[in-house]
């Protein structure tokens, strides 16, 4: 598919000159990419930088549908291919434009009075965000035919300013003689386009773009040579002939000897050469970046070389829909998205002496010369009348408090425009003479409650911003993390550590852009200790025991551990289980993988044939020598003894190893010890959930001890820590456990044992 075209310059007026599509005879596909073509995909997910513009359009036109076409192309790669860096004839501007629009500021002529465009100029027209407004959006309109949306009236709206839509709308000329067409050009274009499956408004706009619909004087479309070429196809200068003769010959070779055959041939040419390959919007016809799966190459085939071609044709389409009252139809817009796009839309080229002094002042628009009248203000995408008209703002009530507020983010130097930002984030340019500063109490500074913190992965931190002065009108702020992979921050200043590293959290005021920062070092949650609930454990020969060590902190990333025993003839280790092998005693050591921290316990193994049974009442629960399910309303030593059947001697000692009497209460940490012939052969440790101090009663002292532990003001024994985890699911107590103990004390909640 080889693209060879010509722009025929119509010197009717400067306006017409600026909208004509420049097409040149060059082999652009030589600069295309052929391998590893990314396949585009379409969804509703636009980058954040698109959304202020998309949302504004959705609000104004609820029936419009916006689709993101993810091209898979890197922005800088695509931009390079669309500029002289790869092909110096692919993007052109007329020589009447300023130096900033041209390569090196010079006139490198490529086609008549068209010259090579500057890279900044191409970036401006190529960045879709600069045209997400009423006057620019139609370059992204899907070019498939939609019945009821693209009407004959809309087609005629495009042609109306031209002879094809005026008094000659149903006439044609052949060899100098006028004849009746039998229909109108609008009706003919509509019927052929519908049959081909392409948008007829686009086709009419393309005809107007190419030749202004000048069937009176334009030799390629007025039938003077007995043929018609409405799209200037094949009309380019070559060694074998002029643009006119080549265009006529192309039409003759294709049998375009009637208006209808020429229109159908040209429409099918556009569909077959461009639309069906993925160039299915005006934008994609200008910038060959969409591969729906059918493209043979990318960045090589453009219908037009004039960088304003898509923009200007879109304006024609928009005006046609507006004039026929069709702007609220259900249009679909397929908007390209590139990889690695800049955060803000590409700036419009401006003269080198046009600069902007950074500013952050709340402003409004006003024309005080006509108080009481409706004021109309034009907001553009650049500081020039050439820039896209983003929006017309109408203000009906006087007084600054009644006017739409903007933030002036740049004061223009050597230009009539200042740079403003909408509340939703859109950026535009307005004539200085309409801008007035909003009188209010400005922010002078902002500070944070801390400027440095060290967090473990998983920890959180609440940052609080203080605005000065305290009576500032606008105290709103935004929060930003320099690396979301290290720590994130939400809109309220809540920081969450997610990965190792250093990160800077910045708070910035929306008024005056004052900022403050907090530096945070995030470290991996390392193990700090390992402990066991008991110093001694007893099991029988052949019995398996699983001992859960307490590894702190509870948020440690790697809580894996291994078990080593001194005498494997007494016990052996199977994974995390200890199994009795033969009668005797040995030491088991628990070692953390992270840090190598150790905890030890004596393991005694009894021979089944020589021990006497210990039988517990079914109301009690024994697991790894931890005795639970104690009735806290009936928990004296005598009551517990009565639930244990054994021939061993029994002794109860409290958490501080003081021997208890029958009338004393048992509590968390109380040990039930079993003796045979004066030798301790087994021991159970009692746990009562909520009884942190070991008194056997759940009261305010338990609440206070747990609160001080959570605040890291005191230490607790492992069994006390375990007793304070009311839901029995976590390794460490949390604030919710405090609440449950408090509600239990107040009689509003019952802690289950």
């Amino acid at each position: 598919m080889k693209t060879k075209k010509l722009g025929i310059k119509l010197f009717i007026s400067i306006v017409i000159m600026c909208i004509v599509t420049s097409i040149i005879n060059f082999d652009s596909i030589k600069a295309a990419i052929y391998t590893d073509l990314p396949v585009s995909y379409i969804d509703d997910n636009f980058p954040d930088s698109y959304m202020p513009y998309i949302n504004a359009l959705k609000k104004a036109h609820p029936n419009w549908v916006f689709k993101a076409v993810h091209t898979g192309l890197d922005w800088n790669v695509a931009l390079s291919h669309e500029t002289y860096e790869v092909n110096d004839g692919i993007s052109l501007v007329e020589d009447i434009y300023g130096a900033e629009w041209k390569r090196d500021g010079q006139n490198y002529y490529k086609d008549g009075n068209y010259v090579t465009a500057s890279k900044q100029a191409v970036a401006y027209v190529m960045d879709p965000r600069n045209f997400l407004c009423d006057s620019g959006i139609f370059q992204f309109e899907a070019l498939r035919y939609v019945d009821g949306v693209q009407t004959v009236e809309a087609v005629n709206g495009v042609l109306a300013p031209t002879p094809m839509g005026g008094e000659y709308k149903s006439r044609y000329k052949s060899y100098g003689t006028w004849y009746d067409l039998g229909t109108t050009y609008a009706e003919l274009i509509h019927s052929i386009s519908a049959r081909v499956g392409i948008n007829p408004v686009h086709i009419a706009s393309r005809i107007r773009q190419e030749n202004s619909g000048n069937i009176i004087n334009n030799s390629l479309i007025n039938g003077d040579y007995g043929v018609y070429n409405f799209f200037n196809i094949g009309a380019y200068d070559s060694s074998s002939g002029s643009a006119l003769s080549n265009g006529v010959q192309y039409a003759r070779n294709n049998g375009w000897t009637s208006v209808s055959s020429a229109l159908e041939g040209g429409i099918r040419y556009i569909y077959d050469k461009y639309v069906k390959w993925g160039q299915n919007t005006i934008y994609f016809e200008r910038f060959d970046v969409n591969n729906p799966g059918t493209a043979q190459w990318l960045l090589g085939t453009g219908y037009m070389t004039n960088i304003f071609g898509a923009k200007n044709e879109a304006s024609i389409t928009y005006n046609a829909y507006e004039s026929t009252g069709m702007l609220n139809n259900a249009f679909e817009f397929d908007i390209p998205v590139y990889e690695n796009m800049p955060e803000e839309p590409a700036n419009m080229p401006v003269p080198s002496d046009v600069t902007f002094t950074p500013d952050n002042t709340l402003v409004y628009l006003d024309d005080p010369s006509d108080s009481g009248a409706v004021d109309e203000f034009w907001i553009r995408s650049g500081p020039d009348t050439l820039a896209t008209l983003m929006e017309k703002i109408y203000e009906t009530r006087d007084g600054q408090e009644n006017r739409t507020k903007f933030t002036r983010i740049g004061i223009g130097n050597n230009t009539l425009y200042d740079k403003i930002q909408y509340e939703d984030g859109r950026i535009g340019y307005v004539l200085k003479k309409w801008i007035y500063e909003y009188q209010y109490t400005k922010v002078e500074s902002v500070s944070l409650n801390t400027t440095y913190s060290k967090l473990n992965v998983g920890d959180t931190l609440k940052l609080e911003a203080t605005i000065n002065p305290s009576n500032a009108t606008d105290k709103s702020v935004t929060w930003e993390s320099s690396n979301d992979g290290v720590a994130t921050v939400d809109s309220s200043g809540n920081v969450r550590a997610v990965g190792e590293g250093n990160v800077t959290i910045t708070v910035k005021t929306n008024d005056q852009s004052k900022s403050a920062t907090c530096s945070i070092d995030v470290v991996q949650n390392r193990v700090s200790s390992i402990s066991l609930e008991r110093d001694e454990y007893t099991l029988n020969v052949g019995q398996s025991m699983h001992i859960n060590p307490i590894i702190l902190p509870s948020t440690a990333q790697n809580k894996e551990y291994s078990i080593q025993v001194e005498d494997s003839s007494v016990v052996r280790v199977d994974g995390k289980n200890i199994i009795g092998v033969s009668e005797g005693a040995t030491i088991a050591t628990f070692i953390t993988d992270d840090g190598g921290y150790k905890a030890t316990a004596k393991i005694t193994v009894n021979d089944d044939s020589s021990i006497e049974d210990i039988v517990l009442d079914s109301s009690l629960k024994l697991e790894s020598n931890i005795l639970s399910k104690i009735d806290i309303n009936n928990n004296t030593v005598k009551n517990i003894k009565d639930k244990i059947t054994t021939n061993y001697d029994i002794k109860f000692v409290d958490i501080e190893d003081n021997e208890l009497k029958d009338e004393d209460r048992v509590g968390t940490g109380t040990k039930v010890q079993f003796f045979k012939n004066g030798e301790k052969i087994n021991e159970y440790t009692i746990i009562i959930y909520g009884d942190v101090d070991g008194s056997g009663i759940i009261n305010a002292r338990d609440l206070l001890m747990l609160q001080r532990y959570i605040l890291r003001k005191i230490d607790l024994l492992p069994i006390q820590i375990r007793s304070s985890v009311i839901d029995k699911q976590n390794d460490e107590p949390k604030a919710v456990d405090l609440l449950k103990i408090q509600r239990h004390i107040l009689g509003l909640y019952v802690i289950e044992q």
Side-chain angles (χ1 to χ4, degrees):
M1 186 163 62
K2 194 173 185 180
T3 305
K4 297 181 178 180
K5 303 185 181 170
L6 168 75
I8 297 181
K9 314 303 182 295
L10 303 177
F11 297 95
I12 298 174
S13 68
I14 287 295
V15 174
I16 294 299
M17 286 174 63
C18 289
I19 70 170
V20 170
T21 302
S22 173
I23 304 168
I24 189 171
N25 175 24
F26 70 93
D27 263 336
S28 59
I29 59 174
K30 288 182 178 179
I33 60 173
Y34 288 86
T35 60
D36 299 322
L37 299 183
V39 177
S40 302
Y41 67 92
I42 300 178
D43 60 22
D44 300 321
N45 301 316
F46 288 93
D48 290 343
S49 61
Y50 281 63
M51 290 314 299
Y53 305 91
I54 296 291
N55 289 335
L57 285 169
K58 285 182 177 179
K59 183 177 180 180
H61 304 283
N63 294 329
W64 289 5
V65 176
F66 304 91
K67 295 292 183 180
V69 180
H70 300 272
T71 66
L73 289 168
D74 181 88
W75 165 257
N76 292 305
V77 171
L79 178 60
S80 183
H81 272 77
E82 293 291 345
T83 66
Y84 58 84
E85 290 182 342
V86 174
N87 191 320
D88 63 359
I90 197 168
S91 294
L92 309 178
V93 293
E94 283 190 288
D95 57 8
I96 60 174
Y97 284 88
E100 64 276 5
W101 292 91
K102 306 169 185 176
R103 177 184 179 182
D104 303 330
Q106 304 296 314
N107 288 330
Y108 297 110
Y109 285 97
K110 291 295 175 181
D111 177 30
N113 61 328
Y114 276 81
V115 300
T116 303
S118 67
K119 188 172 182 179
Q120 183 60 46
V122 178
Y124 171 72
V125 297
M126 189 173 167
D127 193 326
R129 295 168 294 184
N130 284 319
F131 304 96
L132 297 181
C133 55
D134 278 4
S135 63
I137 190 68
F138 281 92
Q139 65 181 280
F140 309 113
E141 182 188 5
L143 295 186
R144 64 180 178 277
Y145 175 73
V146 180
D147 189 30
V149 174
Q150 302 129 2
T151 64
V152 174
E153 290 74 21
V155 176
N156 196 61
V158 175
L159 298 177
T162 75
M164 290 177 68
E167 61 177 307
Y168 294 91
K169 65 182 178 182
S170 58
R171 302 177 68 192
Y172 72 98
K173 190 164 61 169
S174 178
Y175 294 108
T177 302
W178 288 99
Y179 297 94
D180 182 24
L181 188 60
T183 183
T184 65
Y185 285 100
E187 291 169 335
L188 189 56
I189 290 170
H190 186 275
S191 64
I192 296 173
S193 297
R195 187 165 62 251
V196 173
I198 195 170
N199 185 338
V201 179
H202 164 61
I203 293 300
S205 299
R206 179 58 49 79
I207 292 173
R208 182 172 163 184
Q209 179 93 331
E210 287 289 349
N211 51 56
S212 295
N214 187 10
I215 56 176
I216 301 174
N217 299 313
N218 193 310
S219 297
L220 276 178
I221 61 173
N222 66 8
D224 281 349
Y225 296 93
V227 293
Y228 306 85
N229 192 338
F230 289 94
F231 302 93
N232 294 341
I233 299 172
Y236 57 88
D237 289 313
S238 70
S239 58
S240 60
S242 67
L244 176 60
S245 63
N246 285 336
V248 169
Q249 188 59 46
Y250 188 94
R252 184 170 290 118
N253 291 343
N254 285 275
W256 295 352
T257 57
S258 67
V259 169
S260 59
S261 64
L263 284 173
E264 177 141 4
I267 291 170
R268 289 194 178 277
Y269 178 93
I270 293 172
Y271 181 84
D272 291 339
K273 294 289 186 180
Y274 301 96
V275 175
K276 78 174 185 180
W277 301 102
Q279 293 180 268
N280 49 10
T281 68
I282 302 173
Y283 179 94
F284 288 142
E285 288 186 341
R286 175 58 189 85
F287 299 109
D288 181 16
V289 296
N290 180 35
N291 175 23
T294 59
Q296 300 175 26
W297 56 75
L298 288 174
L299 297 166
T301 305
Y303 185 88
M304 58 200 83
T305 56
N306 180 1
I307 63 171
F308 294 111
K311 170 183 179 293
N312 293 330
E313 193 167 321
S315 297
I316 295 172
T317 301
Y318 167 77
N319 291 332
Y321 285 134
E322 182 183 42
S323 66
T324 53
M326 298 176 63
L327 282 181
N328 289 324
N329 283 4
F331 298 107
E332 179 182 315
F333 301 100
D334 295 343
I335 304 167
V337 174
Y338 299 89
E339 303 292 329
N340 302 314
M341 296 187 73
E343 291 184 5
E344 291 188 2
N347 290 325
M348 179 180 180
V350 295
S352 58
D353 58 350
V354 173
T355 58
F356 291 88
T357 301
D359 187 39
N360 200 272
T361 302
L362 203 61
V363 298
Y364 63 98
L365 308 180
D366 196 9
D367 179 6
S369 65
D370 56 355
S371 178
V374 176
D375 291 337
E376 177 180 307
F377 307 102
W378 290 25
I379 300 180
R380 296 186 176 277
S381 64
D384 195 285
T385 54
L386 283 175
T388 305
L389 176 60
M390 292 177 56
E391 187 177 8
K392 295 179 183 179
I393 297 291
Y394 298 95
E395 299 285 14
T396 58
R397 294 188 299 163
D398 292 323
Q400 68 168 18
E401 66 279 1
N402 297 318
R403 296 285 171 133
T404 303
K405 299 177 185 65
F406 302 89
T407 300
R408 182 173 59 195
I409 59 176
I411 299 174
N413 303 312
N414 295 323
T415 176
L416 299 175
Y417 290 82
D418 280 349
K419 189 176 184 180
I420 64 168
Q421 187 173 44
Y422 290 78
E423 288 186 356
D424 62 16
R426 288 178 293 160
I427 295 174
Y429 297 80
V430 178
L431 287 169
K432 289 173 175 287
K433 65 179 181 178
W434 308 129
I435 294 180
Y436 290 83
E437 290 192 14
Y438 191 89
Q439 300 304 309
Y440 64 102
T441 303
K442 298 180 180 180
V443 171
E444 295 177 4
S445 64
V446 60
S447 60
L448 291 173
N449 54 327
T450 182
T451 58
Y452 175 78
S453 183
K454 185 176 183 179
L455 302 176
N456 286 319
V457 173
D459 286 351
T460 59
L461 172 68
K462 172 66 174 178
L463 291 178
E464 296 179 353
T466 300
I467 305 296
N468 180 49
S470 59
N471 65 336
T473 302
D474 181 5
K475 292 185 177 182
S476 61
V477 298
T478 56
W479 297 86
E480 183 179 3
S481 167
S482 64
N483 189 340
D484 286 338
V486 176
T488 61
V489 61
D490 65 16
S491 58
S492 299
N494 296 305
V495 178
R496 177 173 295 278
V498 296
E500 286 186 288
N502 178 266
V503 65
T504 298
I505 304 299
T506 301
V507 62
K508 181 180 290 186
T509 63
N510 287 325
D511 177 40
Q512 304 305 304
S513 289
K514 303 297 182 180
S515 63
T517 61
C518 175
S519 177
I520 298 176
D521 286 321
V522 179
V523 296
Q524 193 71 268
N525 285 358
R526 301 291 187 187
V527 171
S528 61
S529 68
I530 183 173
S531 60
L532 302 172
E533 291 179 333
R534 301 175 54 201
D535 296 329
E536 297 182 26
Y537 294 87
T538 302
L539 72 161
N540 300 328
V541 172
Q543 182 182 358
S544 177
M545 175 186 293
H546 183 84
I547 301 173
N548 284 315
I550 300 171
I551 298 175
L552 298 177
S554 61
T555 54
Q557 298 297 302
N558 181 5
K559 299 174 78 172
E560 289 298 313
Y561 64 92
S562 60
I563 305 173
Q564 297 178 359
V565 295
E566 290 183 358
D567 190 346
S568 59
S569 68
V570 176
V571 297
R572 66 183 177 86
V573 177
D574 182 10
K576 296 294 190 290
N577 296 314
I578 296 176
I579 301 172
V581 176
S582 64
E583 187 175 16
T586 188
I587 299 298
T589 302
F590 293 73
I591 308 171
T592 63
D593 289 359
D594 179 12
Y597 293 94
K598 299 178 180 180
T600 61
K602 180 181 179 181
I603 309 295
T604 300
V605 179
N606 295 312
D607 189 343
D608 278 334
S609 63
S610 63
I611 68 168
E612 301 171 35
D613 290 337
I614 301 173
V615 180
L616 301 177
D617 185 85
S618 60
S619 64
L620 300 176
K621 179 182 179 182
L622 181 66
E623 185 177 20
S624 296
N625 284 22
I626 300 296
L627 190 62
S628 61
K629 298 190 75 68
I630 306 297
D631 182 356
I632 61 174
N633 296 313
N634 197 15
N635 62 340
T636 65
V637 169
K638 184 178 185 309
N639 290 331
I640 302 302
K641 276 185 181 179
D642 289 344
K643 295 182 178 182
I644 301 175
T645 302
T646 183
N647 290 327
Y648 292 133
D649 296 325
I650 305 179
K651 183 170 72 172
F652 285 73
V653 297
D654 67 14
I655 197 169
E656 297 177 351
D657 286 330
N658 300 310
E659 187 171 356
L660 299 176
K661 301 176 182 178
D662 281 356
E663 64 271 19
D664 292 332
R665 287 179 178 272
V666 301
T668 293
T670 296
K671 298 180 179 65
V672 185
Q673 299 174 334
F674 301 89
F675 294 86
K676 180 181 181 180
N677 298 326
E679 181 182 355
K680 185 173 69 173
I681 64 168
N682 210 340
E683 180 179 274
Y684 301 156
T685 301
I686 288 175
I687 185 170
I688 296 177
Y689 291 97
D691 172 33
V692 182
D693 68 350
S695 65
I697 303 172
I698 303 174
N699 55 25
R701 176 175 166 79
D702 299 304
L703 194 66
L704 178 62
M705 287 185 69
L706 179 55
Q707 183 181 48
R708 297 189 69 194
Y709 173 75
I710 290 175
L711 295 173
R712 298 297 187 260
K713 293 185 177 181
I714 64 170
D715 293 323
L716 295 177
L717 296 174
I719 193 68
Q720 291 175 299
I721 296 172
R722 183 169 174 176
S723 73
S724 63
V725 182
I726 306 304
D727 64 3
K728 309 175 186 63
Q729 300 297 315
N730 300 309
D731 296 329
E732 281 280 291
K734 301 182 183 299
V736 67
D737 297 305
L738 274 173
L739 179 62
K740 288 179 178 179
I741 293 175
Q742 182 185 53
R743 288 172 61 82
H744 177 93
I745 295 171
L746 296 173
L748 302 175
Y749 177 80
V750 176
I751 296 176
E752 294 185 4
Q753 297 301 321

